[in-house]
Amino acid sequence: MTIQRREFVAALAAGGAAGLAGCSTLTGDDGGDAGISGETLTLTTTTSTYNTGLLDELNAPFEDRYGVSVDAVSQGTGQALETARNGDSDVVMVHARSLEDEFMEEGYGVNRRDLMYNDFVVIGGPNDPAGIGGSDDVTEAFTAIADSESSFVSRGDDSGTHTKELEIWDETGLNVDEFGEWYQEAGQGMGDVINMATQQGAYTLADRGTYLDMQDEVDLEIHVQGPIEGGPELLANPYGIVAVNPAVHDNVEYDLAMAYIGFITSPEGQDLIENYTANGEQLFYPESLSEEPNFQQYVPEGWSADNTGNSSDSSDE
Amino acid sequence: MSLESAATVPLFAEFPFEWNYIRSIIVVSLYVSVAAVALSTLCSLPIALAVGFTDFRGKGLLTSIINTGMGFPSVVVGLAVLFTVSNEGPLGSLELVFTREAMIMSQFVLAAPVVTGVSLAAVSSVEQNVRDAAYAMGGTRLDVALVTIKEARYGIATAVLAGFGRAISEVGSVLIVGGNIASADGTSKTRTLTTAIQLEAQRGRFETAMILGVVLLAIVLVVNGIVVRLGSDGGGYR
């Protein structure tokens, strides 16, 4: 019996050693943070800013300057805002103004800034079954896709891109709920949806950044251009950045969040955005710097001091 | 950033990742999965022995419940753990969301039923007369348990490996509770091999996703080899 017991203890010891080995490598990784302020900013953002690699470009100099680390979590716009509502992130970078406005009106977000923009494009297989190539009216193009019942892959995930797509279908006057099998809700990120559209030669609405980043990997063409290439203004894709309200969630790193917003809306941060390219093309266009005041960026769209009935709150704007 | 430039030309690069990046995601994958499986084993083995050694009303039902746990959808487990550790949840003050500790929690929940269920089957299959013989030779309850573990060691090793396989290959829950975070210099914080594969696939880089898949398989193979070696008679303990 004792021999067997010794074997058992040896096995336990081996297991323990393996566990400890894991721990020591872990603390080894964390060692770099010790001694400096070492705070961590959690940023929830969209797949389009994350997957294009822009964030790495922005975060590295910010981390160096402040001696902090940025944990960037890529989610859809809807999920990113929901994470922030729960107080699990400190700052949100998203691209659906209507959802951002809702977020601010509920009191979860403060100090919103316009950050940058690019645009959406309608992409699809090179054979273009709905014949929308070169159209400069995205509403007509969507109507043509629906009329010809050509395959269309929708994000279907409450992301900024999905919100924009539904806005366009709204413009056509068609009811998405009545669409047939040609309209597929993927419920996935932009990259996944572009991959799905490639497999099926289907149409989809994509942000230009993700499309340009993946262009070489997929067999899809731009059929309707966004405003950057002279397309309709309806396809504009503005990004905003909002800090989580520390009065609602007192655990958030509010000062760090404001430092981050300050950095990426500064001339230096905006330069980094301006100069970031993928496959030789600029992905995002900076929008924060302006000599003219732009008060609307701080408040929900259409908000004005007159219609709130509480002018004392807004007088400092 | 150097990762970006390297990864955009996957077909031409020999190995399209920075060594630091790949090393850190392997470390995170192994740390999380090994810790989760070690904890699961510590909890599950006594449960499996206790249930296996005793007869009581509802034993069949309990076994069914444990076995059902093997089929927990990982996304659901991830969401449940997220609610628990979220700032709004019961463990919110510990600030565990998007950490490796939260990932260990969710993988523990996923691996524990597998380890329990498979070890229970292994322990139950040890002949009653072996246990009787141990008693007859004057063994204490602990001695009988050790004899049973020794007899059932292949089954228990299989249980641990099955739990490990479940943990390290799982993507749904670690993505939700971990957030797939890597810092700007390419060091993984909560990015595992599976979530890295998912990210590469999402970006349309199927070749690099496949390379990471091969790395994952190789790691599972090595771990299997080590555990089988430890559990076999040819190991270094005799």
Side-chain angles (χ1 to χ4, degrees), chain B residues 156-219:
Chain B
I156 292 172
T158 308
V160 172
L161 285 177
F164 179 77
R166 171 94 155 129
I168 200 160
S169 63
E170 179 275 326
V171 59
S173 83
V174 287
L175 191 61
I176 291 174
V177 302
N180 192 23
I181 297 167
S183 65
D185 67 1
T187 306
S188 161
K189 186 189 170 220
T190 59
R191 181 168 300 167
T192 64
L193 281 163
T194 50
T195 57
I197 291 168
Q198 206 237 15
L199 179 64
E200 291 301 314
Q202 209 177 58
R203 303 177 73 169
R205 298 174 183 165
F206 297 125
E207 295 88 355
T208 53
M210 288 303 287
I211 292 173
L212 289 173
V214 171
V215 171
L216 177 60
L217 270 179
I219 287 174

Side-chain angles (χ1 to χ4, degrees), chain A residues 4-5 8 10 22 26 30 50-51 56-57 60 71-73 86-88 191-192 195 213-214 217 249 251, chain B residues 1 31 86-88 95 97-98 100 143 146-147 150 179-181 184 189 191 199 201-204 206 237:
Chain A
Q4 281 145 3
R5 196 174 295 170
F8 180 66
L26 172 73
D30 286 349
Y50 192 89
N51 289 4
D56 287 346
E57 196 77 13
D71 285 356
V73 181
N86 290 330
D88 291 331
D192 292 318
N195 287 331
D213 189 49
M214 293 179 66
E217 326 277 344
H249 292 295
N251 66 315
Chain B
M1 279 156 286
Y31 170 71
S86 164
N87 182 54
E88 301 279 88
E95 306 215 322
V97 73
F98 304 139
R100 287 172 284 225
D143 290 321
L146 293 181
V147 168
K150 183 171 158 50
N180 192 23
I181 297 167
K189 186 189 170 220
R191 181 168 300 167
L199 179 64
Q202 209 177 58
R203 303 177 73 169
F206 297 125
Y237 297 116

Side-chain angles (χ1 to χ4, degrees), chain B residues 53-72:
Chain B
F53 281 179
T54 47
D55 275 315
F56 52 90
R57 270 171 64 89
K59 182 173 176 176
L61 180 67
L62 182 64
T63 311
S64 301
I65 292 173
I66 291 170
N67 290 339
T68 306
M70 294 191 205
F72 273 154

Side-chain angles (χ1 to χ4, degrees), chain A residues 154-176:
Chain A
S154 165
R155 288 284 292 277
D157 63 350
D158 285 337
S159 58
T161 309
H162 186 217
T163 309
K164 175 60 75 177
E165 183 212 312
L166 293 178
E167 198 182 313
I168 299 170
W169 287 120
D170 244 14
E171 293 280 321
T172 64
L174 300 168
N175 184 353
V176 175

Side-chain angles (χ1 to χ4, degrees), chain A:
Chain A
M1 284 305 157
T2 46
I3 294 170
Q4 281 145 3
R5 196 174 295 170
R6 198 176 302 144
E7 282 185 9
F8 180 66
V9 169
L12 275 185
L20 284 177
C23 291
S24 64
T25 45
L26 172 73
T27 44
D29 281 352
D30 286 349
D33 295 340
I36 41 175
S37 62
E39 286 185 26
T40 299
L41 177 76
T42 306
L43 162 73
T44 43
T45 183
T46 69
T47 49
S48 51
T49 51
Y50 192 89
N51 289 4
T52 51
L54 172 70
L55 280 183
D56 287 346
E57 196 77 13
L58 287 170
N59 292 351
F62 175 75
E63 291 178 338
D64 284 350
R65 175 173 304 177
Y66 289 89
V68 296
S69 51
V70 180
D71 285 356
V73 181
S74 105
Q75 304 175 322
T77 291
Q79 198 189 353
L81 289 169
E82 195 55 38
T83 305
R85 276 190 181 89
N86 290 330
D88 291 331
S89 75
D90 307 314
V91 61
V92 203
M93 185 195 295
V94 289
H95 63 138
R97 188 63 197 262
S98 57
L99 300 179
E100 290 163 55
D101 288 351
E102 204 181 303
F103 182 71
M104 287 192 292
E105 277 160 1
E106 292 163 352
Y108 290 111
V110 287
N111 298 19
R112 182 190 177 281
R113 291 293 310 273
D114 284 343
L115 178 61
M116 60 188 182
Y117 66 94
N118 64 6
D119 59 359
F120 293 105
V121 290
V122 181
I123 56 176
N127 57 346
D128 191 14
I132 60 170
S135 166
D136 56 4
D137 185 335
V138 66
T139 318
E140 265 175 30
F142 266 42
T143 310
I145 292 171
D147 287 347
S148 62
E149 307 213 328
S150 313
S151 299
F152 186 96
V153 185
S154 165
R155 288 284 292 277
D157 63 350
D158 285 337
S159 58
T161 309
H162 186 217
T163 309
K164 175 60 75 177
E165 183 212 312
L166 293 178
E167 198 182 313
I168 299 170
W169 287 120
D170 244 14
E171 293 280 321
T172 64
L174 300 168
N175 184 353
V176 175
D177 296 334
E178 291 166 5
F179 288 167
E181 278 180 14
W182 60 271
Y183 182 80
Q184 308 164 50
E185 293 197 26
Q188 305 213 47
M190 192 72 256
D192 292 318
V193 165
I194 290 178
N195 287 331
M196 284 176 69
T198 306
Q199 301 297 325
Q200 308 177 15
Y203 294 100
T204 190
L205 182 73
D207 66 281
R208 188 186 294 270
T210 309
Y211 170 71
L212 287 178
D213 189 49
M214 293 179 66
Q215 203 174 10
D216 294 346
E217 326 277 344
V218 300
D219 186 26
L220 296 172
E221 291 173 2
I222 295 181
H223 293 304
V224 181
Q225 289 283 0
I228 288 174
E229 297 288 338
E233 202 53 40
L234 183 56
L235 289 176
N237 180 23
Y239 287 80
I241 185 159
V242 196
V244 176
N245 187 352
V248 176
H249 292 295
D250 58 7
N251 66 315
V252 296
E253 304 281 356
Y254 177 71
D255 46 352
L256 206 51
M258 291 309 291
Y260 187 73
I261 294 176
F263 175 76
I264 67 171
T265 57
S266 72
E268 183 187 349
Q270 295 282 296
D271 268 354
L272 288 170
I273 293 171
E274 172 97 48
N275 295 324
Y276 187 68
T277 58
N279 297 330
E281 299 198 55
Q282 183 177 353
L283 298 188
F284 297 98
Y285 295 78
E287 206 184 9
S288 299
L289 298 173
S290 159
E291 287 185 8
E292 299 299 315
N294 170 15
F295 299 132
Q296 283 301 316
Q297 66 181 318
Y298 305 109
V299 294
E301 256 180 336
W303 187 91
S304 81
D306 304 331
N307 60 25
T308 64
N310 188 0
S311 55
S312 63
D313 275 356
S314 50
S315 58
D316 53 2
E317 197 51 74

